[in-house]
Amino acid sequence: MNRRVMLVEDNGGWGIYDALNGDKLFIGLEDIDSAIGKARQEAFEAPHRTETGQFFLDMNGEPLYVTIPSKSGTLELEYADGMPCLDFELCPICKGPAFGRAVGKHNCYYCQNCEKDVDCVPPAEWIGGLD
C-alpha cells in the first residue's frame, strides 16, 4: 500500500500531509493540480475525488481511499489506516459517498458534497398504505 496523504489548501498554497500522523510532506504547492501531480510523482495515494473534484470524506471529514484491489468487484472505501468504510452509497449527482441517516420517518443517504438526501426509503408502515 502506498503512503496515504491528504491534500490541503492553506494560506501559502496547497500542502501534502501524511494522512495517519499529519506530518507535512510538501507545502507551498501552487494549486490542486500541482499537489495531485506531486503526490503521483512521489507514489502517494490521495483520497478519491467526486466528479466535481471534491475529495471523498466521511461525515466527520475523514478522508476516504479506494480499496485496491476491490474484494467485491464494486467500489469499496477505507480510511487511511485500512479500516473499511461501511454503509455508504454513491450519490447519483456527484458520484461521491452518501452516508446513511434517519430523517424524520425516512431512512436516507446523505451526500455532504451536494448537501442532499438521496435514496430515501419510507418506513415499512407507509409502504402499501396508498393502495
Side-chain angles (χ1 to χ4, degrees):
M1 175 172 73
N2 294 338
R3 185 177 203 174
R4 290 184 168 170
V5 297
M6 298 179 301
L7 307 180
V8 179
E9 184 177 23
D10 56 27
N11 330 8
W14 283 83
I16 300 176
Y17 298 83
D18 186 281
L20 289 175
N21 60 27
D23 288 346
K24 292 179 186 178
L25 303 174
F26 295 94
I27 57 172
L29 299 165
E30 187 175 320
D31 54 28
I32 185 63
D33 293 328
S34 300
I36 290 170
K38 185 67 172 173
R40 285 187 183 138
Q41 178 185 359
E42 298 292 328
F44 295 152
E45 183 181 355
H48 203 62
R49 296 176 72 193
T50 67
E51 287 185 350
T52 58
Q54 298 165 304
F55 291 107
F56 276 26
L57 304 173
D58 72 2
M59 294 292 279
N60 297 320
E62 294 293 321
L64 296 170
Y65 303 85
V66 174
T67 303
I68 300 174
S70 172
K71 296 171 187 84
S72 68
T74 61
L75 180 70
E76 293 180 16
L77 300 176
E78 62 187 22
Y79 293 93
D81 64 0
M83 178 73 73
C85 175
L86 306 174
D87 192 28
F88 74 92
E89 290 191 9
L90 288 181
C91 172
I93 300 165
C94 72
K95 306 297 187 252
F99 296 94
R101 72 175 188 167
V103 178
K105 292 190 173 197
H106 292 83
N107 289 322
C108 298
Y109 284 84
Y110 177 74
C111 177
Q112 62 189 12
N113 293 321
C114 298
E115 298 181 352
K116 296 186 185 302
D117 289 313
V118 294
D119 291 338
C120 292
V121 178
E125 63 268 14
W126 288 14
I127 297 174
L130 298 176
D131 291 339

